[in-house]
Amino acid sequence: MVTSAAPRLTLDTLDITDSDRYRDHGYPWAEWDLLRREAPVYWYQRPGFEPFWAITRHADIRFISAHPELFSNSQMLRLNTAQKLTQQQTEREFQTNRHGGDPSDPQDFIWMDPPEHRQHRGIVARHFTPRVMKTLEDHFAEMAENYVSDFADKLVVSFAEHGADQGADSAVDVVHELSAKLPVAAICDMGGVPEEDWDKIFEWTEAFAGQDDPEYWEPGETSFQATQRIVGQWFRHTQGLIEERHRKGFGDDLLSDLLQAEIDGRKLTADEVHNYFFLLLGAGNETTRNAITGGVKALLDHPDQMQMLVEDASLVPSAVEEILRWTSIVIQFQRTAVQDVELGGQTIRKGESVVLWYPSANRDEEIFEDPYRFDITRQENDHFAFGGYGEHFCLGANLARWEMRAMFHALRPLLPQLEIAADPEYVISFLHVGGIKRQMVRHRPG
C-alpha cells in the first residue's frame, strides 16, 4: 500500500487551531517552534476563523501583557471558531434574558480593561495574597495528606482485586480520585460553598469546560442544551447561597465580599455577582487540577527527576514551577489592538486581533536553557503558566502554587509506587485549557 507523505511543515501548511489535533496528539510544539524561528508575529489565516496575529515569542507576549493601553481585553477574550463565537453570543443572550443584564456587558472582570478591571479584581484580591496563603499552608498540607492517603488506599485495593496482570483494570484515575480534590475543596471553602456541594461544583466545572464533548451531555442533548442545563443548575445553586447570605448574614468568604462590594458607589448587579462567582469557582479548580495531573505524568515519565523529588523535599517549590512551565495548561488568550503598534517587524493595525500562545512562550529558547528538558531544579523559570505580566496576571496564582506544593509534597512517598497505565484522555474543548479527562495509573508491581 502506497501512502502519500505528510506535507512538509512550513508557515503555509502549519495548523495551530485544529482542536482535534490537540485532543488526539497533544500540543503543536513543532509548529510553535517554527513560528518563533521564522515568524514570531504571524498573520494567521485559516478557514473557519477570523484572521489574527499569532504571537509565539516570550518577549512579545510579555510586551502585550504589560500594555493594556495598547491591547484591549474587552472585545475578544479567547480565540474560537466563528461558529462557536456565534453560539456563545446566543448563550449569552439566553442567560441575560433569563437572569437580567445586557448581552453587551462584560461577562466578568477578565473582559475589562483598566481601570475597571483593577477595581473589580480588587474586590476579592485580599483572599489570594501570599500572606493569606501562608496562613492556609498547614490546612492545605493536612488536606493533601488525607487525599493522597485515600488515593493510595484505592490503588492498593484495586491492585489486590485485579492483580498486576490485569493491566488497565487495576488502574485508578488520577483526575477524579486525586488531582481535583484539593483545588475544589480550597476554592469552595474560600467561596463559602457547603462541603456537601463540592462534588457538584467539580461536576459542573468539568462539564462546562468539556461542553463540546458528548460524554458530558444527557441523552438527546446538543452542546448548546447541555451548556444551558449546566449553567442553569449552577445559577440556581449560587442563587440559593446568595439568599442564605441575606437571611443569615455575611461571612469572611468570596461570595460575601461580592455581595457587599461597591464600585464607584454602586453595588454589583445580580448578573455581575453570578458571573464573578462562576469564574472564581471554575477557574479556581479547573486549571490547577489539570496541572497536578500533568505533573504526576511528567514525574512518572522522568524517573530521575521523580527520584530527586522523593529524596529532597526542598525541591518541591522549584518542581512545581517546572511542572507549571512544562504542562502549560492555559493555551491562549486573545486581545485587540486599540491603535497601530509595531511589534516583531510587523505593523498590527488598530482593530486587529492578537492571540498569545503561552505554551510556545514556555519553550522559548531565548528564555529557557534546553526548554524541552524537564528539570525540577531549574532556577531561571520565568514561565507564563499564569499568563503574561501586568493587569491580567492570574488572580489565583498564589493559591495554585500553594495547593500544588502541598499535593506534591504529600505525593513524594507514593510516586515510586506508581506507573502510567494508559495515555491521558483529553477533553474535547476549544483551545483554551489543556484539559485532561482521565489519566490512569496503577500500583507498580514488586
Side-chain angles (χ1 to χ4, degrees):
M1 178 178 178
V2 178
T3 58
S4 59
R8 186 174 69 89
L9 184 61
T10 67
L11 293 177
D12 292 330
T13 64
L14 65 79
D15 188 343
I16 57 173
T17 53
D18 180 357
S19 58
D20 289 345
R21 181 258 163 84
Y22 284 74
R23 180 196 63 202
D24 297 336
H25 304 291
Y27 289 177
W29 298 113
E31 286 83 348
W32 286 327
D33 290 347
L34 177 63
L35 285 167
R36 286 197 311 278
R37 286 195 308 269
E38 297 188 8
V41 181
Y42 176 66
W43 186 241
Y44 187 94
Q45 297 185 79
R46 299 294 187 272
F49 296 87
E50 290 294 324
F52 62 87
W53 291 100
I55 312 297
T56 51
R57 195 167 55 185
H58 189 283
D60 296 329
I61 291 177
R62 180 168 185 162
F63 176 83
I64 291 171
S65 301
H67 290 280
E69 77 281 4
L70 301 177
F71 298 95
S72 171
N73 258 46
S74 64
Q75 298 179 50
M76 193 65 67
L77 187 61
R78 302 177 186 94
L79 175 69
N80 224 321
T81 64
Q83 179 182 5
K84 190 64 178 178
L85 291 173
T86 299
Q87 179 180 327
Q88 290 176 347
Q89 180 61 25
T90 302
E91 291 169 357
R92 178 65 179 153
E93 292 171 357
F94 181 89
Q95 292 302 322
T96 54
N97 288 338
R98 172 182 284 184
H99 305 303
D102 189 303
S104 64
D105 290 338
Q107 294 181 35
D108 51 58
F109 73 92
I110 298 182
W111 289 81
M112 299 176 185
D113 296 318
E116 291 82 9
H117 175 267
R118 194 177 306 118
Q119 292 173 307
H120 284 75
R121 180 187 176 103
I123 294 172
V124 298
R126 68 183 181 89
H127 292 276
F128 297 94
T129 64
R131 181 183 62 81
V132 170
M133 293 301 108
K134 192 70 177 175
T135 67
L136 294 171
E137 196 166 43
D138 290 343
H139 181 48
F140 287 170
E142 181 181 2
M143 287 196 294
E145 292 285 352
N146 290 335
Y147 291 137
V148 170
S149 178
D150 290 345
F151 183 68
D153 290 344
K154 288 184 173 69
L155 283 166
V156 170
V157 169
S158 181
F159 184 81
E161 288 179 349
H162 299 285
D165 296 332
Q166 296 301 312
D169 290 340
S170 64
V172 179
D173 179 24
V174 172
V175 176
H176 294 84
E177 302 298 338
L178 179 66
S179 301
K181 301 293 185 179
L182 180 55
V184 172
I187 195 63
C188 285
D189 195 27
M190 293 170 67
V193 177
E195 185 171 357
E196 60 267 23
D197 296 340
W198 292 357
D199 286 344
K200 292 179 188 174
I201 298 299
F202 171 68
E203 291 171 8
W204 291 332
T205 302
E206 185 179 41
F208 186 79
Q211 59 188 267
D212 293 333
D213 189 333
E215 181 172 329
Y216 301 108
W217 305 351
E218 292 186 348
E221 279 189 331
T222 63
S223 172
F224 176 79
Q225 291 167 335
T227 302
Q228 297 315 308
R229 172 177 51 80
I230 295 159
V231 172
Q233 291 171 342
W234 203 332
F235 179 93
R236 289 188 291 274
H237 178 266
T238 301
Q239 189 60 35
L241 297 179
I242 291 171
E243 292 169 0
E244 183 179 54
R245 295 295 192 284
H246 286 303
R247 287 196 311 271
K248 298 182 178 180
F250 300 117
D252 185 23
D253 59 76
L254 298 170
L255 183 56
S256 292
D257 280 6
L258 293 175
L259 292 169
Q260 297 176 90
E262 291 189 2
I263 301 291
D264 294 332
R266 72 165 183 86
K267 297 282 190 182
L268 299 185
T269 67
D271 195 44
E272 287 174 323
V273 170
H274 277 276
N275 289 337
Y276 203 139
F277 198 55
F278 180 93
L279 173 67
L280 290 171
L281 295 185
N285 78 77
E286 172 70 7
T287 52
T288 309
R289 62 102 165 168
N290 282 301
I292 292 171
T293 303
V296 169
K297 183 178 187 302
L299 289 165
L300 296 182
D301 285 343
H302 299 84
D304 60 323
Q305 301 296 304
M306 178 191 71
Q307 193 58 39
M308 282 196 296
L309 183 63
V310 169
E311 294 174 357
D312 187 355
S314 71
L315 290 174
V316 168
S318 62
V320 165
E321 297 306 313
E322 181 68 347
I323 287 167
L324 287 165
R325 182 190 75 88
W326 187 258
T327 57
S328 292
I329 296 301
V330 177
I331 300 172
Q332 50 82 18
F333 272 107
Q334 186 168 351
R335 308 275 168 83
T336 304
V338 298
Q339 64 184 62
D340 291 357
V341 181
E342 297 291 329
L343 186 67
Q346 302 289 344
T347 300
I348 301 172
R349 300 295 183 187
K350 178 181 179 179
E352 292 179 341
S353 292
V354 296
V355 177
L356 315 181
W357 298 94
Y358 300 114
S360 175
N362 288 339
R363 296 294 191 275
D364 192 332
E365 301 84 352
E366 296 297 317
I367 303 297
F368 303 100
E369 182 180 354
D370 197 1
Y372 284 96
R373 175 169 54 90
F374 180 67
D375 178 9
I376 67 169
T377 68
R378 191 183 296 272
Q379 295 303 307
E380 299 297 324
N381 207 340
D382 187 18
H383 62 74
F384 284 166
F386 299 114
Y389 289 82
E391 295 284 335
H392 290 277
F393 185 78
C394 177
L395 175 64
N398 291 319
L399 175 61
R401 284 188 164 109
W402 258 262
E403 290 171 350
M404 291 178 66
R405 290 171 188 173
M407 287 299 297
F408 284 102
H409 192 282
L411 273 166
R412 287 171 52 248
L414 182 62
L415 286 169
Q417 304 173 42
L418 303 180
E419 65 179 11
I420 299 292
D423 290 336
E425 295 178 48
Y426 294 101
V427 176
I428 304 174
S429 185
F430 195 80
L431 297 188
H432 179 52
V433 172
I436 303 173
K437 186 192 300 186
R438 274 179 287 273
Q439 175 60 75
M440 307 305 292
V441 300
R442 60 176 167 244
H443 192 278
R444 184 187 298 275

